[in-house]
Amino acid sequence: MTDVSEIPRTDLVLHVNGAGHRIRVDPRTTLLDVLREHLGLTGAKKGCDHGQCGACTVLLDGRRVNSCLALAVAHQDAEILTIEGLADGERLHPVQEAFLERDAYQCGYCTPGQICSAVGMLAEARAEGTELDADEIRERMSGNLCRCGAYVNIVDAIGDVAAGG
Amino acid sequence: MRPLTYERAGDAGAARAALAQHGRGARYLAGGTNLVDLMKLGVEAPTHLVDVRHLPYDRIDDTEDGGLRIGATVTNNALAADARVRESYPVLSQALLAGASGQLRNLATVGGNLLQRTRCAYFQDVTKPCNKRDPGTGCPAREGDHRNLAILGHSEACVATHPSDMAVALVALGATVHVLGDTGEREIAMPGLHRLPGDEPQRDTVLAPGELITAVQLPGLGRLGVRSHYRKVRDRASYAFAVVSIAAAVDVAADGTIADCRIAFGGLAHVPWRAEAAEARLRGAPATEASFAAAAAADAELAAARPLRDNGFKVPLARNLLVRTLVELSEGTEGAAR
Ligand SMILES: Cc1cc2nc3c(=O)[nH]c(=O)nc-3n(C[C@H](O)[C@H](O)[C@H](O)COP(=O)(O)OP(=O)(O)OC[C@H]3O[C@@H](n4cnc5c(N)ncnc54)[C@H](O)[C@@H]3O)c2cc1C
Ligand code: SF4
Ligand code: FES
Ligand code: FES
């Protein structure tokens, strides 16, 4: 066993939801664990911890990523946006609104990841100039699993935003 | 758990020096989507990480021969979305988009994708023996779960497959990998980067310790590149590794004969598998289903397949995939079914 006091720790600064945070962690710590355990931001969920479910999805400089496979120490220069930072004060993000409107969840465990992923995905499609139909949305959202099977409403909710509704 | 230190390299020289200085426990870190995963599984236990994501290799540049030079840290999504790639090498864009998920592709890089390790379940489970992870301990996959493993080029020691979709497209396109090592830069023509397992399955590639991938270069292929396509057969419709996949390109001349073609398979071997015998047979032949079927049947390499107990289905699957993909490419209907 390694004595915990011998584990090298690193000081790092992370920019999350517009605020800087200084923390001291083992360099092995993932961004997901930093968010949840050091910063108290428990919106991003730990589903599989292996990149397979998308529950941990956050936005790094606007791009969606799995925070469970990203080492926090490697992303100190990024603007990190989590579900907690998506709303503009009391005003929900359009994707959040659409999920409410369409009832796009049951237990809600996958929802923060679904919403962050959808925000990133919509930006990707916009940048490429790709029109999003239901099939295209399903394919592009395939990195987000929903154990409750709320897919039909999730796709509808994202479709509403894509169509500007 | 062994302690770990981290540093970010500003240039290639510093990256290489840092890796050398920290010895055998040091690893380059790019997107981390494979390495961090393997660290959690206990398969990898590095003592020092050298982050290469900030090296100045994040560009895709035009080359003089009409090709592209793709930096090693370009992300899989950025590469797939590049207009030049989509236009001139659709097979590459399609292969990337067929792999992993949108979130993973935003982290994953070209260099890391090429060097990702096998998805063989025993390799990923440290409670099991595995010659690739722990040389000399044996290969439980040979008699165990190998439905998704190799039918070509495997050895007594290891029957694993290479999991990358991108690499299959790069092999079909005749890409060159640029690496930086102790003796300076060298170029490795695909499929030469990856190696068959032989009796050293722990070595996936021909790279020497510390060699750094800096770029991947695509030759200008004109019409052949434009007429290219990737098709992947998997157990789920999306977000799964290939059971068998094919990257193909066909240029049909005005007289209806095949001017040139490229064929590579994924999911069949420890390396992305270029089907050169089938290509040679097709050049100059009429672009008809009969030619494609004859080439598939006669392909010396597929004919030499040595399936294991539970993966014989991959042989006809690969043949059918070849015929269907080439028929559609020569008819221009390949976009119809994904
Ligand atoms: C759930 C899941 C599903 C996936 N599905 C697919 C799929 O369907 N198809 C597919 O092809 N892939 C798939 N992948 C794998 C994914 O594509 C790879 O993990 C990714 O491409 C690796 O890139 P990276 O930059 O994250 O590499 P890292 O994890 O950072 O590195 C991987 C290896 O490459 C080395 N390395 C990185 N860059 C360099 C360099 N420049 N020079 C030398 N060495 C370097 C590292 O030391 C490490 O050994 C999947 C992964 C997950 C987690
Ligand atoms: S096939 Fe290769 S990777 Fe899988 S258990 Fe055997 S030696 Fe290990
Ligand atoms: S927790 Fe990250 S993908 Fe499942
Ligand atoms: S709503 Fe329960 S997992 Fe998706």
Side-chain angles (χ1 to χ4, degrees), chain A residues 121 125-126 128-137 140 162-163:
Chain A
M121 184 277 282
R126 218 175 302 123
E128 292 162 28
T130 306
E131 293 270 334
L132 293 171
D133 58 19
D135 277 346
E136 194 65 41
I137 292 173
R140 288 170 181 251

Side-chain angles (χ1 to χ4, degrees), chain B residues 14 37 46 58 69 95 154 169 171 178 193 215 226 230 237 292 302 307 322:
Chain B
D37 201 10
D58 61 346
R69 184 184 164 107
H154 49 73
V171 162
H178 293 242
L193 175 68
V226 175
Y230 190 74
F292 300 136
L302 276 182
L322 190 158

Side-chain angles (χ1 to χ4, degrees), chain A residues 2 8 27-28 49-52 57 64-66 68-69 71 73-75 77 117 124 136 139 142-144, chain B residues 1-4 6 8 32-33 36-37 39-41 49 51 53-54 101-104 106-107 238-239 338:
Chain A
T2 315
R28 239 183 304 256
D49 215 18
H50 289 285
Q52 297 165 359
T57 305
R64 53 182 174 154
V65 304
N66 309 78
C68 70
L69 292 184
L71 293 185
V73 65
H75 297 283
D77 49 350
S117 182
E124 288 163 16
E136 194 65 41
E139 170 63 31
S142 63
N144 290 86
Chain B
M1 258 205 294
R2 292 200 283 166
L4 172 76
Y6 165 94
R8 176 183 289 191
T33 59
V36 173
D37 201 10
M39 285 163 61
K40 290 182 184 192
L41 294 167
L49 291 178
D51 192 340
R53 225 165 37 92
H54 300 271
S101 67
Q103 293 94 309
L104 287 163
N106 275 334
L107 287 169
S238 179
Y239 199 23
R338 247 212 280 209

